[in-house]
Amino acid sequence: MEPDAALKILRRGTEEIITEDDLKTKLASGRKLRVKLGVDPTRPDLHLGHAVVLRKMRQFQELGHKVILLIGDFTGMIGDPSGRSKTRPPLTLEETRRNAQSYVEQARKILLQDHEVFELRYNSEWLGKLTFEEVIHISAQMTVAQMLEREDFKKRYTEGVPIGIHEFLYPLAQGYDSVALEADVEMGGTDQKFNLLVGRDLQKFYGQEPQVLVLMPLLVGLDGVEKMSKSLDNYVGVSEEPAVMFKKLMRVPDAVLADYFRLLTDLEPAEVEAVVEKGGMVGAHRVLARLLTAAYAREVIPAWLDRAFYESLGYRLEEAGRDREPQAPQEAELARIVRQAEARYDEVAKGGVPDDIPTVEVDPAELKDGAIWVARLFTLAGLTRSNGEARRLIQNRGLRLDGEVITDPQLQVTLDRPRILRRGKDKFVRVRLKGSPLS
């Protein structure tokens, strides 16, 4: 592929490329580029925020280049200070390796694993062998003033929050990774810009051609405010069950829907605009949910999440999400999975009870005088963490029994028949007495 055409593909969805001219020159060289992504092993669960960067890595693979998934098992023992208001607790080498295994398994859903285009490395391979003299030489390439230019360090210093010397070593260690790997390109989120720039400087110091930085935007989570994070519970996991993924994607705030299309799909901007214009925001949400639910239901997502893939499911993009049943899908099994997930979403939205809800059996010993306290019942069913939480939700009208809002926190419930418990809009559990008939 011509360098200009390849650059057009790679430029899409990026926040910044440092520099585009350097990337074009590297692409024009005709050699296989080494594209690095450093992975923080303290957060092993992947969500669609991670997929933004990983899909860009996949595009490099599709263009014939080799991506290097670098597990920061050694730097994980330091703790990345990026965006932190206080020192992050370090992990042991064993903990970082264990977390890394989970990360790699999930990343296989997005990245090709062929050795020609994929390499897995651990930075303990070289960082663990550096002598103290070498660490001093590396540290001499940065000043304290430069370190304090980082917004997170500057804020902590101004507020009198302690900064460990070891935290200053983190960007230097990450930068040295690029030297050890002779990286041509390094990927990262915008919050990693400082660290990635250190890599360019260290490569120059060691006589290497500086890497190109490809910085991706941070995906806003389902709350529409903060970046996607499992700890904030505003995430969509890459390994979610299809019905859960579809439901979550239908909850994407309207204000950030365009960003989800831009960063997570390959639909053209004009196509997205046409979908919104014809199908409205609900129709556009359905298109997004169908596209991503189908893609991540596969063992490995398609190379391109575009119009061709959407229409292979039997839907027509011109219908803008208003065609409820796929017609003659090429991807019949994926179409079935998406249709089932969408039907479940619609059923719940209408106030119905899905067929595929879990069943929990209650031990007869839990009953007193033939009944059980409602708060205890919801806790046994796993819908609340404690009786106290159940009581608070009842006071806020957040729990239902057989479709009816529970208003009495002291209610005693009989289990002479299966009962349907519901929390919020879409969390259901069927409970029955152990040993009793199913219906």
Side-chain angles (χ1 to χ4, degrees):
M1 183 180 291
E2 291 297 314
D4 285 332
L7 185 60
K8 181 179 179 181
I9 291 172
L10 296 172
R11 183 191 295 122
R12 175 174 171 156
T14 61
E15 183 72 22
E16 186 177 8
I17 298 176
I18 305 174
T19 68
E20 275 199 23
D21 287 342
D22 288 346
L23 180 55
K24 185 175 179 180
T25 299
K26 289 178 185 285
L27 291 170
S29 70
R31 62 185 177 86
K32 181 177 292 188
L33 302 182
R34 294 173 61 78
V35 184
K36 165 198 169 193
L37 174 65
V39 171
D40 179 359
T42 62
R43 295 170 291 186
D45 297 311
L46 297 193
H47 50 63
L48 293 182
H50 298 107
V52 173
V53 176
L54 291 172
R55 279 205 338 117
K56 186 60 65 177
M57 298 278 281
R58 173 70 176 275
Q59 290 176 0
F60 273 103
Q61 288 184 309
E62 296 292 339
L63 294 171
H65 303 293
K66 174 173 278 192
V67 304
I68 304 169
L69 192 61
L70 175 65
I71 306 299
D73 59 339
F74 193 91
T75 43
M77 295 189 293
I78 301 174
D80 184 2
S82 299
R84 310 297 289 190
S85 59
K86 60 183 179 180
T87 301
R88 172 180 281 179
L91 300 179
T92 66
L93 187 61
E94 292 73 22
E95 286 173 322
T96 61
R97 284 293 179 96
R98 187 166 56 250
N99 289 349
Q101 187 59 40
S102 173
Y103 192 108
V104 171
E105 287 297 322
Q106 295 169 81
R108 287 197 172 105
K109 187 175 280 288
I110 300 173
L111 297 178
L112 302 177
Q113 303 294 305
D114 187 283
H115 72 277
E116 291 294 324
V117 293
F118 180 79
E119 188 175 321
L120 176 65
R121 301 292 293 273
Y122 295 85
N123 64 9
S124 59
E125 295 173 32
W126 48 85
L127 294 180
K129 296 175 183 176
L130 287 176
T131 66
F132 192 61
E133 180 182 5
E134 289 172 314
V135 172
I136 291 174
H137 281 308
I138 294 169
S139 301
Q141 306 313 305
M142 293 285 290
T143 67
V144 171
Q146 286 175 305
M147 286 292 182
L148 291 178
E149 288 176 4
R150 279 184 53 149
E151 193 59 39
D152 40 28
F153 284 154
K154 183 191 300 182
K155 188 173 187 292
R156 286 165 62 183
Y157 180 74
T158 303
E159 295 176 353
V161 178
I163 304 171
I165 295 295
H166 72 290
E167 294 182 86
F168 282 170
L169 294 178
Y170 189 96
L172 291 168
Q174 185 174 336
Y176 188 79
D177 290 341
S178 295
V179 175
L181 292 171
E182 298 184 359
D184 294 299
V185 178
E186 182 164 15
M187 302 286 308
T190 51
D191 57 343
Q192 289 291 316
K193 182 175 180 178
F194 183 93
N195 293 354
L196 273 56
L197 285 170
V198 172
R200 278 176 64 92
D201 292 339
L202 287 181
Q203 283 180 312
K204 293 176 186 176
F205 173 71
Y206 281 94
Q208 295 181 9
E209 184 178 297
Q211 63 188 10
V212 170
L213 311 186
V214 178
L215 301 173
M216 302 300 296
L218 302 178
L219 186 68
V220 174
L222 298 178
D223 57 2
V225 180
E226 303 287 348
K227 74 174 183 178
M228 187 171 285
S229 168
K230 187 170 185 181
S231 63
L232 296 175
D233 197 26
N234 66 354
Y235 72 101
V236 182
V238 301
S239 299
E240 302 269 25
E241 289 296 318
V244 176
M245 179 171 280
F246 192 97
K247 171 192 70 177
K248 287 187 174 183
L249 290 168
M250 290 298 292
R251 288 169 43 205
V252 173
D254 291 354
V256 297
L257 186 63
D259 290 335
Y260 275 63
F261 273 111
R262 179 171 61 92
L263 299 175
L264 298 173
T265 83
D266 298 298
L267 291 176
E268 296 295 334
E271 291 174 330
V272 175
E273 289 175 10
V275 166
V276 173
E277 183 177 347
K278 186 170 184 179
M281 296 307 290
V282 173
H285 275 82
R286 288 188 186 275
V287 171
L288 179 75
R290 290 169 180 172
L291 192 59
L292 295 184
T293 299
Y296 288 92
R298 291 177 45 147
E299 187 174 342
V300 180
I301 70 169
W304 311 106
L305 305 188
D306 55 7
R307 180 189 191 119
F309 176 65
Y310 182 77
E311 296 194 337
S312 75
L313 302 172
Y315 298 104
R316 295 177 63 246
L317 195 62
E318 285 83 357
E319 290 299 314
R322 296 181 302 175
D323 45 355
R324 296 302 180 89
E325 291 293 327
Q327 304 297 316
Q330 296 168 278
E331 297 271 7
E333 178 58 18
L334 287 182
R336 183 193 67 79
I337 290 171
V338 172
R339 185 169 64 250
Q340 188 176 57
E342 187 167 4
R344 189 185 195 282
Y345 172 82
D346 289 337
E347 180 70 20
V348 173
K350 293 175 184 176
V353 178
D355 295 328
D356 58 345
I357 65 174
T359 297
V360 172
E361 293 188 328
V362 177
D363 193 311
E366 293 284 348
L367 272 61
K368 183 178 180 180
D369 297 330
I372 183 173
W373 180 31
V374 66
R376 175 66 176 162
L377 184 60
F378 272 84
T379 301
L380 288 175
L383 288 174
T384 56
R385 291 187 296 271
S386 66
N387 297 342
E389 182 186 28
R391 190 187 298 109
R392 289 190 295 274
L393 286 169
I394 290 171
Q395 291 170 344
N396 291 317
R397 302 176 63 83
L399 300 181
R400 290 175 179 260
L401 173 65
D402 293 336
E404 299 295 326
V405 175
I406 302 169
T407 57
D408 180 6
Q410 301 304 321
L411 178 69
Q412 297 294 313
V413 181
T414 60
L415 294 179
D416 53 339
R417 66 186 188 282
R419 313 298 292 264
I420 302 296
L421 309 185
R422 175 175 173 179
R423 175 176 177 173
K425 293 183 177 179
D426 50 22
K427 293 182 180 178
F428 296 86
V429 172
R430 179 182 289 106
V431 293
R432 68 185 185 93
L433 200 61
K434 185 178 292 184
S436 65
L438 290 176
S439 60

